[in-house]
Amino acid sequence: MTRKEIPPETAYRRFRNVIRIGPVQVATSYDGRGRDKHTAACTAPGCGFAADYDTRAGAELAARTHRCKA
């Protein structure tokens, strides 16, 4: 992929307030409109779980209840 093919909102996110719950990392960033978005992403090889949430509590709940298939 070239840089032109990647949307700028996903290519240049600045994550803050990063925590780790098991294999899942939870972080906060701004979306393209300046609102807070909270992301939960599994770091286990081959898992592929990642999701954005409107609330930090939702992202942390997803991290705590995530079960890796890998």
Side-chain angles (χ1 to χ4, degrees), residues 16-49:
R16 62 189 191 282
N17 197 10
V18 178
I19 64 167
R20 188 175 187 96
I21 300 173
V24 181
Q25 284 188 338
V26 177
T28 303
S29 66
Y30 292 115
D31 67 357
R33 297 181 180 200
R35 297 175 298 213
D36 278 342
K37 287 294 179 181
H38 308 279
T39 303
C42 186
T43 59
C47 180
F49 168 76

